[in-house]
Amino acid sequence: MNRTHRLLVLLAAVLLLTGLAVGATLHAADRAAEKDRAQAGGPPVRSGKVALDTPGLAVFRNMAWGPHRDEIASVPGGDLTGPRTASGVHCLRFHTAGGTGICLQAVRSGIRDSYRAVALDARLRELRRYDLAGVPSRARVSPDGHTVAWTVFVSGDSYAGTAFSTRTSVLDTRTWTLDRNLETYRVFLDDHPYRAADLNVWGVTFADDTRFYATVATAGKTYLVRGDRRERTLRSVHTNVECPSLSPDGTRIAYKKRVEGASSDAPWRLYVLDLRTLRESATAEQRNIDDQAVWRDGHTLVYSLPGDYGSDLWTVPADGSGSPRQAMAAALAPAFTGRS
């Protein structure tokens, strides 16, 4: 092959690769733009005001494709499939209670996205914001709205290796005192003081403004712990508990549990623990649950599963009876405001 032929082959290859790159870019741009277009048959969503102190609402991250995707939206708690009111506030993770909201947001930039936690009042107006050390994972608000918590995934811990590492923070919304890392609390496993470099804490669920439950992981095991902000302590209660969620009456914990025989890619099932007897029972949901469930009331759990738009919400009775049912398509991170 002479020099001219080689140049022609090289030029053809460059043009082909350029065309493929342009095509891929246009396809990706079209897919991104598609998410901004409302889909036929999707849930109706309109702009409006969302008030976190309105009783009887379900408030959640709207995942339906269209101009309101990723906005905090609401529907009447008794009609989860009804028209959605979108607030204009974007959150990756969200929770609300007592008229306070916590919103974990992405901050878009040309180089790399960063993240922040934003405390919101009942009208979704910003009160304070805090930079986050990693990718948002969990968020919770205490029943009276005076304390909020969030968990993020972080990298850079030498002990973590290929496993994930977390940071969990707790914020007092009256004094704006921030405990940046619950790993600094004193930990007691089986009533014995415990310290380890590989400690991780995540998934706070509040009993009140001071007391809470969470997951502690160390040495390959996970523990349900009872936390106390005044004492700055975490005390183990039960093993093999992740992402706990306290029932409205404070007597039970819903959580995801690693079960024997399950695939390592889908190891979790949804369980409920009686805090008085420490008896655990499986729910009727047999699929893998990688979420921190919420209690719709004293009898029903709500959790997310993958769906056509990213995530759907499902319900199942907490007592092991019944069967799972889809409650809401294209939604994530639900919370239910005070009873109507």
Side-chain angles (χ1 to χ4, degrees):
M1 183 181 293
N2 60 34
R3 184 168 181 269
T4 300
H5 286 162
R6 288 197 298 270
L7 289 173
L8 289 174
V9 171
L10 178 61
L11 178 61
V14 170
L15 290 174
L16 176 61
L17 292 174
T18 301
L20 291 173
V22 170
T25 301
L26 291 175
H27 177 71
D30 184 65
R31 289 289 296 169
E34 185 179 4
K35 292 185 178 182
D36 293 330
R37 297 192 292 266
Q39 301 296 296
V45 188
R46 61 176 184 270
S47 297
K49 294 182 179 180
V50 174
L52 303 182
D53 55 359
T54 301
L57 288 183
V59 189
F60 54 95
R61 174 184 168 189
N62 172 54
M63 300 290 288
W65 287 2
H68 302 292
R69 182 177 171 87
D70 296 328
E71 293 181 21
I72 297 306
S74 68
V75 295
D79 183 16
L80 299 184
T81 61
R84 303 179 180 186
T85 301
S87 66
V89 176
H90 290 78
C91 302
L92 298 177
R93 282 287 174 179
F94 174 81
H95 193 251
T96 182
T100 297
I102 182 63
C103 171
L104 307 187
Q105 297 178 330
V107 182
R108 309 296 182 187
S109 67
I111 301 175
R112 185 178 66 178
D113 289 349
S114 59
Y115 303 95
R116 65 189 176 203
V118 182
L120 304 169
D121 69 8
R123 299 298 180 268
L124 295 178
R125 294 172 298 205
E126 181 178 320
L127 297 172
R128 295 286 178 98
R129 67 171 61 180
Y130 300 85
D131 293 335
L132 298 179
V135 180
S137 171
R138 307 295 180 205
R140 280 296 185 269
V141 182
S142 66
D144 289 336
H146 297 149
T147 316
V148 302
W150 59 80
T151 297
V152 300
F153 292 119
V154 298
S155 59
D157 288 337
S158 60
Y159 62 80
T162 57
F164 69 86
S165 183
T166 61
R167 289 287 182 278
T168 295
S169 304
V170 176
L171 173 68
D172 189 316
T173 61
R174 293 165 295 184
T175 64
W176 301 112
T177 301
L178 177 64
D179 289 337
R180 292 187 176 276
N181 189 355
L182 290 187
E183 293 171 27
T184 63
Y185 279 29
R186 291 179 295 143
V187 177
F188 296 83
L189 299 185
D190 298 324
D191 293 325
H192 299 293
Y194 181 87
R195 297 183 66 180
D198 72 341
L199 201 72
N200 275 293
V201 184
W202 71 85
V204 166
T205 181
F206 287 100
D208 54 37
D209 297 333
T210 300
R211 299 173 300 148
F212 60 90
Y213 293 87
T215 294
V216 160
T218 182
K221 295 183 178 180
T222 59
Y223 300 84
L224 174 69
V225 295
R226 183 183 292 109
D228 190 297
R229 291 179 54 230
R230 290 196 181 96
E231 295 181 354
R232 296 180 63 83
T233 56
L234 301 170
R235 298 179 182 273
S236 67
V237 177
H238 200 64
T239 59
N240 196 7
V241 173
E242 298 182 56
C243 299
S245 180
L246 186 64
S247 63
D249 64 3
T251 64
R252 291 161 292 162
I253 290 280
Y255 61 103
K256 62 180 192 180
K257 173 184 176 178
R258 291 181 182 268
V259 297
E260 292 184 6
S263 165
S264 59
D265 295 327
W268 296 294
R269 300 296 182 268
L270 188 60
Y271 273 69
V272 173
L273 176 71
D274 187 313
L275 290 171
R276 293 168 293 192
T277 64
L278 296 185
R279 178 181 177 272
E280 55 184 20
S281 57
T283 68
E285 176 56 82
Q286 296 299 306
R287 291 169 291 184
N288 183 63
I289 301 299
D290 187 9
D291 192 22
Q292 186 173 15
V294 301
W295 294 76
R296 182 173 179 178
D297 49 40
H299 310 284
T300 308
L301 300 173
V302 185
Y303 50 94
S304 68
L305 284 169
D308 291 340
Y309 301 97
S311 174
D312 297 330
L313 295 180
W314 289 72
T315 65
V316 73
D319 63 2
S321 65
S323 59
R325 295 184 178 182
Q326 188 182 72
M328 185 183 298
L332 184 65
F336 296 89
T337 61
R339 298 178 184 276
S340 56

mmCIF file of all heavy atoms in Angstrom, residues 24-57:
data_model
loop_
_atom_site.group_PDB
_atom_site.id
_atom_site.type_symbol
_atom_site.label_atom_id
_atom_site.label_comp_id
_atom_site.label_asym_id
_atom_site.label_seq_id
_atom_site.Cartn_x
_atom_site.Cartn_y
_atom_site.Cartn_z
ATOM 1 N N ALA A 24 -23.160 9.157 18.768
ATOM 2 C CA ALA A 24 -23.328 8.801 20.178
ATOM 3 C C ALA A 24 -23.675 10.022 21.014
ATOM 4 O O ALA A 24 -24.525 9.967 21.910
ATOM 5 C CB ALA A 24 -22.054 8.143 20.706
ATOM 6 N N THR A 25 -23.011 11.144 20.714
ATOM 7 C CA THR A 25 -23.292 12.378 21.455
ATOM 8 C C THR A 25 -24.723 12.838 21.232
ATOM 9 O O THR A 25 -25.438 13.216 22.170
ATOM 10 C CB THR A 25 -22.311 13.481 21.040
ATOM 11 O OG1 THR A 25 -20.982 13.045 21.303
ATOM 12 C CG2 THR A 25 -22.591 14.768 21.799
ATOM 13 N N LEU A 26 -25.157 12.789 19.964
ATOM 14 C CA LEU A 26 -26.530 13.214 19.665
ATOM 15 C C LEU A 26 -27.542 12.278 20.297
ATOM 16 O O LEU A 26 -28.582 12.715 20.794
ATOM 17 C CB LEU A 26 -26.730 13.261 18.141
ATOM 18 C CG LEU A 26 -25.956 14.362 17.400
ATOM 19 C CD1 LEU A 26 -26.150 14.220 15.895
ATOM 20 C CD2 LEU A 26 -26.401 15.746 17.871
ATOM 21 N N HIS A 27 -27.230 10.966 20.292
ATOM 22 C CA HIS A 27 -28.145 10.005 20.910
ATOM 23 C C HIS A 27 -28.256 10.259 22.411
ATOM 24 O O HIS A 27 -29.355 10.247 22.976
ATOM 25 C CB HIS A 27 -27.661 8.581 20.662
ATOM 26 C CG HIS A 27 -28.514 7.529 21.320
ATOM 27 N ND1 HIS A 27 -29.778 7.218 20.885
ATOM 28 C CD2 HIS A 27 -28.277 6.742 22.409
ATOM 29 C CE1 HIS A 27 -30.297 6.277 21.661
ATOM 30 N NE2 HIS A 27 -29.406 5.965 22.588
ATOM 31 N N ALA A 28 -27.096 10.502 23.062
ATOM 32 C CA ALA A 28 -27.115 10.783 24.502
ATOM 33 C C ALA A 28 -27.878 12.065 24.789
ATOM 34 O O ALA A 28 -28.644 12.142 25.757
ATOM 35 C CB ALA A 28 -25.690 10.891 25.020
ATOM 36 N N ALA A 29 -27.665 13.081 23.947
ATOM 37 C CA ALA A 29 -28.377 14.348 24.143
ATOM 38 C C ALA A 29 -29.876 14.160 23.949
ATOM 39 O O ALA A 29 -30.689 14.731 24.681
ATOM 40 C CB ALA A 29 -27.845 15.402 23.169
ATOM 41 N N ASP A 30 -30.235 13.326 22.960
ATOM 42 C CA ASP A 30 -31.653 13.084 22.729
ATOM 43 C C ASP A 30 -32.276 12.329 23.891
ATOM 44 O O ASP A 30 -33.404 12.611 24.304
ATOM 45 C CB ASP A 30 -31.826 12.285 21.431
ATOM 46 C CG ASP A 30 -33.295 12.095 21.081
ATOM 47 O OD1 ASP A 30 -33.974 13.102 20.807
ATOM 48 O OD2 ASP A 30 -33.767 10.941 21.090
ATOM 49 N N ARG A 31 -31.523 11.345 24.466
ATOM 50 C CA ARG A 31 -32.027 10.626 25.626
ATOM 51 C C ARG A 31 -32.199 11.552 26.824
ATOM 52 O O ARG A 31 -33.168 11.456 27.573
ATOM 53 C CB ARG A 31 -31.067 9.487 25.981
ATOM 54 C CG ARG A 31 -31.068 8.340 25.005
ATOM 55 C CD ARG A 31 -32.333 7.524 25.079
ATOM 56 N NE ARG A 31 -32.467 6.870 26.375
ATOM 57 C CZ ARG A 31 -33.553 6.282 26.790
ATOM 58 N NH1 ARG A 31 -34.644 6.291 26.048
ATOM 59 N NH2 ARG A 31 -33.612 5.697 27.979
ATOM 60 N N ALA A 32 -31.228 12.475 27.003
ATOM 61 C CA ALA A 32 -31.343 13.425 28.105
ATOM 62 C C ALA A 32 -32.535 14.343 27.903
ATOM 63 O O ALA A 32 -33.282 14.639 28.833
ATOM 64 C CB ALA A 32 -30.056 14.236 28.223
ATOM 65 N N ALA A 33 -32.720 14.790 26.637
ATOM 66 C CA ALA A 33 -33.851 15.674 26.361
ATOM 67 C C ALA A 33 -35.174 14.943 26.508
ATOM 68 O O ALA A 33 -36.192 15.534 26.890
ATOM 69 C CB ALA A 33 -33.721 16.251 24.951
ATOM 70 N N GLU A 34 -35.158 13.613 26.236
ATOM 71 C CA GLU A 34 -36.382 12.834 26.359
ATOM 72 C C GLU A 34 -36.924 12.858 27.774
ATOM 73 O O GLU A 34 -38.143 12.862 27.986
ATOM 74 C CB GLU A 34 -36.106 11.394 25.931
ATOM 75 C CG GLU A 34 -37.346 10.515 25.892
ATOM 76 C CD GLU A 34 -37.029 9.102 25.447
ATOM 77 O OE1 GLU A 34 -35.849 8.798 25.253
ATOM 78 O OE2 GLU A 34 -37.971 8.307 25.323
ATOM 79 N N LYS A 35 -36.023 12.908 28.746
ATOM 80 C CA LYS A 35 -36.461 12.943 30.136
ATOM 81 C C LYS A 35 -37.162 14.250 30.475
ATOM 82 O O LYS A 35 -37.853 14.336 31.479
ATOM 83 C CB LYS A 35 -35.268 12.736 31.066
ATOM 84 C CG LYS A 35 -34.687 11.331 30.991
ATOM 85 C CD LYS A 35 -33.582 11.130 32.002
ATOM 86 C CE LYS A 35 -33.045 9.719 31.958
ATOM 87 N NZ LYS A 35 -31.992 9.487 32.978
ATOM 88 N N ASP A 36 -36.964 15.280 29.656
ATOM 89 C CA ASP A 36 -37.633 16.555 29.883
ATOM 90 C C ASP A 36 -38.976 16.646 29.173
ATOM 91 O O ASP A 36 -39.668 17.646 29.285
ATOM 92 C CB ASP A 36 -36.736 17.707 29.403
ATOM 93 C CG ASP A 36 -35.483 17.848 30.261
ATOM 94 O OD1 ASP A 36 -35.549 17.513 31.451
ATOM 95 O OD2 ASP A 36 -34.449 18.282 29.725
ATOM 96 N N ARG A 37 -39.314 15.595 28.424
ATOM 97 C CA ARG A 37 -40.590 15.577 27.719
ATOM 98 C C ARG A 37 -41.557 14.645 28.436
ATOM 99 O O ARG A 37 -41.206 13.497 28.743
ATOM 100 C CB ARG A 37 -40.395 15.118 26.266
ATOM 101 C CG ARG A 37 -39.524 16.044 25.434
ATOM 102 C CD ARG A 37 -39.621 15.685 23.958
ATOM 103 N NE ARG A 37 -39.011 14.401 23.673
ATOM 104 C CZ ARG A 37 -37.752 14.250 23.264
ATOM 105 N NH1 ARG A 37 -36.973 15.315 23.099
ATOM 106 N NH2 ARG A 37 -37.272 13.049 23.001
ATOM 107 N N ALA A 38 -42.754 15.127 28.703
ATOM 108 C CA ALA A 38 -43.755 14.295 29.360
ATOM 109 C C ALA A 38 -44.086 13.092 28.494
ATOM 110 O O ALA A 38 -44.163 13.189 27.266
ATOM 111 C CB ALA A 38 -45.014 15.114 29.626
ATOM 112 N N GLN A 39 -44.253 11.927 29.129
ATOM 113 C CA GLN A 39 -44.530 10.696 28.403
ATOM 114 C C GLN A 39 -46.023 10.399 28.398
ATOM 115 O O GLN A 39 -46.717 10.604 29.388
ATOM 116 C CB GLN A 39 -43.781 9.539 29.058
ATOM 117 C CG GLN A 39 -42.282 9.729 29.098
ATOM 118 C CD GLN A 39 -41.669 9.771 27.720
ATOM 119 O OE1 GLN A 39 -41.717 8.791 26.988
ATOM 120 N NE2 GLN A 39 -41.104 10.908 27.350
ATOM 121 N N ALA A 40 -46.492 9.914 27.256
ATOM 122 C CA ALA A 40 -47.901 9.538 27.151
ATOM 123 C C ALA A 40 -48.218 8.448 28.161
ATOM 124 O O ALA A 40 -47.466 7.482 28.310
ATOM 125 C CB ALA A 40 -48.200 9.051 25.741
ATOM 126 N N GLY A 41 -49.310 8.611 28.870
ATOM 127 C CA GLY A 41 -49.715 7.628 29.855
ATOM 128 C C GLY A 41 -49.071 7.806 31.205
ATOM 129 O O GLY A 41 -49.381 7.061 32.135
ATOM 130 N N GLY A 42 -48.154 8.762 31.315
ATOM 131 C CA GLY A 42 -47.506 9.013 32.591
ATOM 132 C C GLY A 42 -48.417 9.774 33.545
ATOM 133 O O GLY A 42 -49.468 10.301 33.140
ATOM 134 N N PRO A 43 -48.030 9.869 34.814
ATOM 135 C CA PRO A 43 -48.870 10.584 35.780
ATOM 136 C C PRO A 43 -48.923 12.073 35.449
ATOM 137 O O PRO A 43 -47.907 12.671 35.079
ATOM 138 C CB PRO A 43 -48.156 10.336 37.111
ATOM 139 C CG PRO A 43 -46.749 10.015 36.736
ATOM 140 C CD PRO A 43 -46.806 9.321 35.429
ATOM 141 N N PRO A 44 -50.088 12.696 35.570
ATOM 142 C CA PRO A 44 -50.194 14.138 35.324
ATOM 143 C C PRO A 44 -49.485 14.929 36.417
ATOM 144 O O PRO A 44 -49.651 14.650 37.606
ATOM 145 C CB PRO A 44 -51.705 14.398 35.326
ATOM 146 C CG PRO A 44 -52.277 13.270 36.125
ATOM 147 C CD PRO A 44 -51.394 12.089 35.908
ATOM 148 N N VAL A 45 -48.673 15.910 35.998
ATOM 149 C CA VAL A 45 -47.911 16.733 36.934
ATOM 150 C C VAL A 45 -48.082 18.195 36.546
ATOM 151 O O VAL A 45 -47.940 18.554 35.369
ATOM 152 C CB VAL A 45 -46.407 16.376 36.908
ATOM 153 C CG1 VAL A 45 -45.676 17.110 38.023
ATOM 154 C CG2 VAL A 45 -46.191 14.878 37.015
ATOM 155 N N ARG A 46 -48.387 19.038 37.542
ATOM 156 C CA ARG A 46 -48.535 20.467 37.286
ATOM 157 C C ARG A 46 -47.772 21.244 38.351
ATOM 158 O O ARG A 46 -47.542 20.754 39.466
ATOM 159 C CB ARG A 46 -50.006 20.869 37.312
ATOM 160 C CG ARG A 46 -50.685 20.615 38.654
ATOM 161 C CD ARG A 46 -52.118 21.122 38.682
ATOM 162 N NE ARG A 46 -52.730 20.958 39.990
ATOM 163 C CZ ARG A 46 -53.404 19.874 40.367
ATOM 164 N NH1 ARG A 46 -53.544 18.864 39.521
ATOM 165 N NH2 ARG A 46 -53.939 19.803 41.576
ATOM 166 N N SER A 47 -47.365 22.455 38.002
ATOM 167 C CA SER A 47 -46.680 23.318 38.963
ATOM 168 C C SER A 47 -47.659 23.812 40.008
ATOM 169 O O SER A 47 -48.845 24.010 39.736
ATOM 170 C CB SER A 47 -46.056 24.518 38.242
ATOM 171 O OG SER A 47 -45.068 24.104 37.333
ATOM 172 N N GLY A 48 -47.162 24.029 41.213
ATOM 173 C CA GLY A 48 -48.005 24.549 42.276
ATOM 174 C C GLY A 48 -47.238 24.664 43.572
ATOM 175 O O GLY A 48 -46.024 24.456 43.610
ATOM 176 N N LYS A 49 -47.931 24.984 44.636
ATOM 177 C CA LYS A 49 -47.319 25.136 45.945
ATOM 178 C C LYS A 49 -47.441 23.833 46.729
ATOM 179 O O LYS A 49 -48.504 23.210 46.761
ATOM 180 C CB LYS A 49 -47.985 26.276 46.716
ATOM 181 C CG LYS A 49 -47.764 27.649 46.099
ATOM 182 C CD LYS A 49 -48.407 28.744 46.932
ATOM 183 C CE LYS A 49 -48.164 30.118 46.327
ATOM 184 N NZ LYS A 49 -48.787 31.201 47.135
ATOM 185 N N VAL A 50 -46.340 23.456 47.357
ATOM 186 C CA VAL A 50 -46.303 22.292 48.225
ATOM 187 C C VAL A 50 -45.977 22.776 49.631
ATOM 188 O O VAL A 50 -44.929 23.391 49.852
ATOM 189 C CB VAL A 50 -45.261 21.266 47.756
ATOM 190 C CG1 VAL A 50 -45.143 20.120 48.753
ATOM 191 C CG2 VAL A 50 -45.620 20.743 46.366
ATOM 192 N N ALA A 51 -46.863 22.529 50.570
ATOM 193 C CA ALA A 51 -46.676 22.969 51.951
ATOM 194 C C ALA A 51 -46.478 21.752 52.839
ATOM 195 O O ALA A 51 -47.360 20.888 52.931
ATOM 196 C CB ALA A 51 -47.879 23.786 52.426
ATOM 197 N N LEU A 52 -45.333 21.681 53.504
ATOM 198 C CA LEU A 52 -44.986 20.514 54.295
ATOM 199 C C LEU A 52 -45.783 20.408 55.589
ATOM 200 O O LEU A 52 -45.760 19.365 56.243
ATOM 201 C CB LEU A 52 -43.488 20.524 54.614
ATOM 202 C CG LEU A 52 -42.557 20.566 53.404
ATOM 203 C CD1 LEU A 52 -41.113 20.533 53.857
ATOM 204 C CD2 LEU A 52 -42.858 19.442 52.423
ATOM 205 N N ASP A 53 -46.463 21.475 55.976
ATOM 206 C CA ASP A 53 -47.283 21.429 57.189
ATOM 207 C C ASP A 53 -48.750 21.158 56.880
ATOM 208 O O ASP A 53 -49.602 21.249 57.763
ATOM 209 C CB ASP A 53 -47.135 22.717 57.997
ATOM 210 C CG ASP A 53 -47.444 23.973 57.191
ATOM 211 O OD1 ASP A 53 -47.752 23.862 55.985
ATOM 212 O OD2 ASP A 53 -47.363 25.081 57.773
ATOM 213 N N THR A 54 -49.068 20.829 55.630
ATOM 214 C CA THR A 54 -50.432 20.441 55.280
ATOM 215 C C THR A 54 -50.660 18.995 55.666
ATOM 216 O O THR A 54 -49.922 18.105 55.227
ATOM 217 C CB THR A 54 -50.674 20.601 53.774
ATOM 218 O OG1 THR A 54 -50.454 21.964 53.397
ATOM 219 C CG2 THR A 54 -52.098 20.192 53.402
ATOM 220 N N PRO A 55 -51.651 18.710 56.522
ATOM 221 C CA PRO A 55 -51.864 17.319 56.918
ATOM 222 C C PRO A 55 -52.363 16.463 55.767
ATOM 223 O O PRO A 55 -53.027 16.949 54.852
ATOM 224 C CB PRO A 55 -52.912 17.404 58.026
ATOM 225 C CG PRO A 55 -53.347 18.800 58.115
ATOM 226 C CD PRO A 55 -52.572 19.635 57.161
ATOM 227 N N GLY A 56 -52.027 15.181 55.822
ATOM 228 C CA GLY A 56 -52.603 14.222 54.888
ATOM 229 C C GLY A 56 -52.004 14.207 53.508
ATOM 230 O O GLY A 56 -52.657 13.772 52.557
ATOM 231 N N LEU A 57 -50.751 14.655 53.354
ATOM 232 C CA LEU A 57 -50.102 14.645 52.053
ATOM 233 C C LEU A 57 -49.059 13.541 51.969
ATOM 234 O O LEU A 57 -48.429 13.177 52.964
ATOM 235 C CB LEU A 57 -49.400 15.975 51.778
ATOM 236 C CG LEU A 57 -50.229 17.205 51.475
ATOM 237 C CD1 LEU A 57 -49.311 18.387 51.174
ATOM 238 C CD2 LEU A 57 -51.177 16.966 50.305
#
